[in-house]
Amino acid sequence: MLWKTLDPVRSEHGLTILPMAPLSTCPTLDLVFVPGGRRGALCRQRVHRLLGAAGLLRGRRAATHWMVRDLLHAFGAEPVADRVVVDGKTFTGGVTAGIDVALTVAAEITGRATAEAIQLGIEYAPAPPFASGSPGTADPAVVAAVLAWAETCQRDRAERVARAAAAL
C-alpha cells in the first residue's frame, strides 16, 4: 500500500487505510493496482487520472466507470465500454469490475487455473438483482436520476481531468 505520505488515508465512509511506504521511496514495481473511488482523496487519484496524467494511457484502449469514460480522451486513450480491457501491460476496468480486473491479472501472472481457484475461493459468482448495471440496460429514468445526482461531481471531475491533461 503506497501513498504520498505515511499518513492514514480515510475513505468517504470512514475506512482508514495505512500506507506501508511513501511513493517517493518505492522501488521499481512489477505491478501497480490503483483502486477507483467515488469521491474524496482516493477519487483524486483514480486510475484514469493517475495513469493518464503519467501518459500511460496515450494510444491505449481503456475502461473505466461509464460516467467518466469520455474523460479518457483527454489523456489520449480510446475509451472502451468493456468491464476489463487489457492493452499491452495495462489492465483497466470500471468500479465494480475491480475483481474482474484482479482475476484477469492473476490469470496473466499465474495462469488460468490459479485465477479460477481464487474466484472459487472468494465465491465470486455475480448475479445482480436488477438489470440496471449499465446505462444501456438501465431504465432511462434511472440513468437520468443518477446523472442529475452526480452532476456536481461530474463537473468537478471534468475540471480536474482538464487540468491534469493540460499538464501532459
Side-chain angles (χ1 to χ4, degrees):
M1 298 293 295
L2 304 171
W3 190 239
K4 297 179 284 188
T5 68
L6 290 178
D7 297 334
V9 179
R10 185 177 162 96
S11 77
E12 65 185 294
H13 297 294
L15 174 68
T16 300
I17 300 169
L18 297 174
M20 297 170 68
L23 290 166
S24 62
T25 66
C26 79
T28 301
L29 302 172
D30 294 323
L31 175 69
V32 176
F33 182 78
V34 183
R38 191 167 55 90
R39 294 190 179 142
L42 293 177
C43 182
R44 288 188 285 280
Q45 299 296 329
R46 286 187 68 124
V47 67
H48 67 276
R49 291 195 63 231
L50 182 64
L51 297 178
L56 299 175
L57 294 180
R58 188 180 313 276
R60 295 200 179 276
R61 297 168 60 250
T64 191
H65 188 276
W66 64 272
M67 283 197 291
V68 294
R69 190 174 298 134
D70 286 342
L71 298 178
L72 291 171
H73 287 292
F75 298 115
E78 176 190 336
V80 179
D82 295 343
R83 285 185 60 78
V84 178
V85 172
V86 179
D87 189 335
K89 293 183 177 183
T90 304
F91 295 69
T92 56
V95 175
T96 60
I99 293 175
D100 296 10
V101 174
L103 290 170
T104 303
V105 170
E108 179 73 21
I109 293 171
T110 63
R112 181 178 175 141
T114 300
E116 287 183 357
I118 293 168
Q119 180 177 350
L120 178 59
I122 64 172
E123 196 177 5
Y124 179 59
F130 310 106
S132 59
S134 76
T137 59
D139 181 304
V142 173
V143 175
V146 168
L147 288 172
W149 170 80
E151 185 177 350
T152 301
C153 186
Q154 288 293 91
R155 191 171 34 255
D156 180 54
R157 285 176 177 148
E159 290 169 6
R160 285 185 276 129
V161 165
R163 285 192 304 272
L168 287 177

